[in-house]
Amino acid sequence: MDHAHPAASAASAAPEAPATAHAGALAARRDRAVRAAVAQGLVDDARQPVAALLDVASVRESAAALRTAFAAVTADGQDVLHTFAVKAAALVPVLRLLTDCGIGAEVASPGELALARAAGVSPARTVLDSPAKTGAELSEALALGIAVNADNPQELSRLDALRPSPAARLGLRVNPQLGGGAIDAMSTATATSKFGVALRDEGARDWVVRAYRERPWLTRLHCHVGSQGMALDAMAAGVRATYELAEEINAAAGRRQIDTLDIGGGLPVNFASDETSPTFDAYARHLARTVPGLFDGRYALVTEFGRALLARAGTVLARVEYAKSAGGRAIAVTHAGAQVAVRTVFAPDAWPLRVRAYDAQGRPKDAPAVRQDIAGPCCFAGDLVARDRELPLLAAGDHAALLDTGAYYFSNPFGYNSLPRPGVYGFTCDDAPRERESANGQDGGAAAAAVRFLPVREPQTLDDIVAESGGARRDALL
Ligand SMILES: *Cc1c(COP(=O)(O)O)cnc(C)c1O
């Protein structure tokens, strides 16, 4: 059986376009934003010594790249809903921006649903996945008319009790148990993963087919095989297993009961350079080769990308407070540590980040590279965002930038040492003054002035911290 869409085969023969110009533009905007953030006082003593910068153009570009990649392989008129995994950047203006780019929301908690609703994401463009939905969540989701992917048999029974209408958009998450990727904690298709119905367990597949036969309102099938560290082959194999199961269920039902396949997210991000690899385009073409039937127009599709949409757009910019040395090791003590880069600090091998060195004015530092630790402000020894890393030697008053932190970093802060959540500032660059910017940054101020910051989240204040730490209940335990 070969349902390959003609566009898919044509696209798969074409070589990948070089991404270098795109990567260069991204890096140039980032440098300008850092310069501007320092010039405009976003990280000075009066505010906070750490701030998060989000490149609006990069968000728009990656959303467009995703849509274009799938448009190139889907059949004419095939319905594709791209949703953004809200957990990757749980910020209302970001969700709003993505909505404006044609991207809906994948939510996994009442909080995430509330954020999506606050951003104006319509129920028709919202999908609820979560391994632990409460009865109240399920009722609300059905009342709102958002799509729900049930995780397990008990949850399906709860849905039974709610007597869903045939128009409800309900599915089941399955785990094809294909094995893990490079990062255990991100691998959702292992034999013992907590997510979905484990398809290869004894009797499970037959049970799933029966579950659909007994529930005419069950019209979707969902699979998300993992995040970061999954190879394209593994991702495509998961999608293929899902597609094959849908075909089997529909054959058993004698009708096209499953009309929508939700293929999850999980495209990995290359944290080692500014080059986007793999691209959405490469993944879509890979899917078109591996699961051609997905793109012949019989199924509506849903995707749920998070990291690959947003990581590139974000930079954490922190002042270097002190530069010291211990046991022969240079150490830059900065204001970016576990509170903004929790995964990198606690699982440094799985989540290395690039660090870029900027001087006190926010210009790229070009001093000779020296091995040094880049430490954060938290009071535990492991609070390092980079160990023994070769970088221009950072001095007190310089700045360190953590790159590719637009997803799962500053948007997922960790409460430690009562450190405030940093402000998040979107930025846009006006193109005009670029020509005037000289190599030594002498008139970089002009370029910096053409960077406009759009506050997304105010820095948390000390009053906020006291308030959320029981400040109003001072005497509660007396
Ligand atoms: C986290 C998650 C995603 C997004 O994963 P990324 O790696 O950020 O693309 C998509 N779907 C589900 C169900 C998830 O849990």
Side-chain angles (χ1 to χ4, degrees):
M1 177 173 77
D2 187 359
H3 293 292
H5 190 254
S9 357
S12 53
E16 254 192 73
T20 310
H22 178 261
L26 178 89
R29 286 199 303 269
R30 186 173 58 219
D31 282 352
R32 289 176 66 194
V34 167
R35 178 92 168 90
V38 172
Q40 296 181 33
L42 260 51
V43 286
D44 67 14
D45 261 339
R47 294 214 217 172
Q48 273 186 12
V50 57
L53 313 179
L54 193 74
D55 182 350
V56 174
S58 166
V59 176
R60 287 196 180 277
E61 281 169 11
S62 57
L66 170 60
R67 295 182 60 185
T68 307
F70 275 77
V73 295
T74 40
D76 288 345
Q78 187 170 6
D79 182 13
V80 184
L81 170 63
H82 297 293
T83 65
F84 172 68
V86 170
K87 69 178 182 289
L91 297 162
V92 173
V94 172
L95 304 180
R96 179 79 189 88
L97 169 63
L98 286 163
T99 309
D100 195 51
C101 299
I103 310 286
E106 186 264 354
V107 301
S109 72
E112 290 182 359
L113 176 56
L115 297 181
R117 297 183 72 188
V121 183
S122 71
R125 304 182 67 78
T126 303
V127 177
L128 172 64
D129 301 323
S130 139
K133 304 174 203 78
T134 63
E137 270 182 277
L138 292 171
S139 306
E140 188 195 12
L142 259 56
L144 288 171
I146 65 180
V148 177
N149 290 313
D151 180 83
N152 59 64
Q154 292 174 354
E155 194 177 329
L156 265 192
S157 303
R158 280 188 174 175
L159 287 174
D160 287 338
L162 293 171
R163 303 186 168 279
S165 92
R169 293 173 308 132
L170 304 176
L172 181 68
R173 177 169 183 172
V174 292
N175 167 13
Q177 291 170 297
L178 298 168
I183 306 175
D184 279 350
M186 297 292 121
S187 300
T188 51
T190 57
T192 56
S193 165
K194 73 173 180 179
F195 292 105
V197 176
L199 266 190
R200 291 186 180 180
D201 282 8
E202 200 172 339
R205 198 173 178 97
D206 292 342
W207 177 85
V208 170
V209 175
R210 253 199 337 274
Y212 275 82
R213 291 202 71 166
E214 291 162 0
R215 294 172 179 82
W217 41 264
L218 211 45
T219 55
R220 303 181 151 219
L221 192 62
H222 174 225
C223 162
H224 167 72
V225 301
S227 294
Q228 191 67 20
M230 298 302 295
L232 285 196
D233 275 336
M235 294 177 63
V239 174
R240 188 182 173 93
T242 309
Y243 167 79
E244 284 168 352
L245 176 61
E247 294 283 275
E248 183 181 331
I249 290 168
N250 284 347
R255 65 188 184 100
R256 304 215 57 79
Q257 176 171 348
I258 295 180
D259 58 20
T260 302
L261 296 177
D262 181 339
I263 62 171
L267 193 70
V269 166
N270 163 26
F271 284 96
S273 89
D274 285 323
E275 297 294 346
T276 297
S277 166
T279 59
F280 285 122
D281 196 41
Y283 182 43
R285 285 187 283 118
H286 193 79
L287 283 177
R289 283 191 299 269
T290 319
V291 204
L294 201 60
F295 299 111
D296 63 13
R298 287 174 303 141
Y299 292 99
L301 302 179
V302 177
T303 73
E304 310 172 333
F305 296 100
R307 184 174 291 104
L309 275 167
L310 256 287
R312 286 283 179 227
T315 302
V316 170
L317 180 63
R319 246 188 14 242
V320 178
E321 198 62 49
Y322 300 108
K324 58 194 286 190
S325 129
R329 171 76 53 89
I331 304 167
V333 180
T334 81
H335 288 278
Q339 91 278 28
V340 289
V342 59
R343 279 185 172 144
T344 295
V345 167
F346 288 107
D349 295 334
W351 299 103
L353 283 176
R354 287 182 296 155
V355 178
R356 186 154 161 81
Y358 293 93
D359 70 11
Q361 279 73 48
R363 294 170 300 207
K365 242 190 141 162
D366 62 359
V370 173
R371 290 191 171 279
Q372 56 198 303
D373 283 358
I374 312 300
C378 301
C379 291
F380 64 97
D383 187 36
L384 304 171
V385 293
R387 295 158 198 252
D388 208 16
R389 180 80 57 90
E390 279 203 342
L391 278 179
L393 185 64
L394 285 162
D398 284 349
H399 297 86
L402 311 186
L403 310 190
D404 311 320
T405 45
Y408 300 103
Y409 281 88
F410 55 72
S411 49
N412 302 53
F414 172 51
Y416 196 86
N417 277 143
S418 298
L419 286 161
R421 288 189 285 273
V424 177
Y425 307 89
F427 68 84
T428 56
C429 294
D430 169 1
D431 271 346
R434 266 180 96 174
E435 286 70 47
R436 296 205 300 272
E437 191 173 9
S438 71
N440 63 11
Q442 205 64 43
D443 44 3
V451 176
R452 204 156 65 91
F453 289 106
L454 315 159
V456 166
R457 179 178 76 196
E458 292 298 323
Q460 198 177 27
T461 66
L462 299 184
D463 286 344
D464 294 337
I465 290 176
V466 172
E468 76 167 31
S469 306
R473 298 191 169 79
R474 188 184 62 173
D475 297 333
L477 303 179
L478 295 184

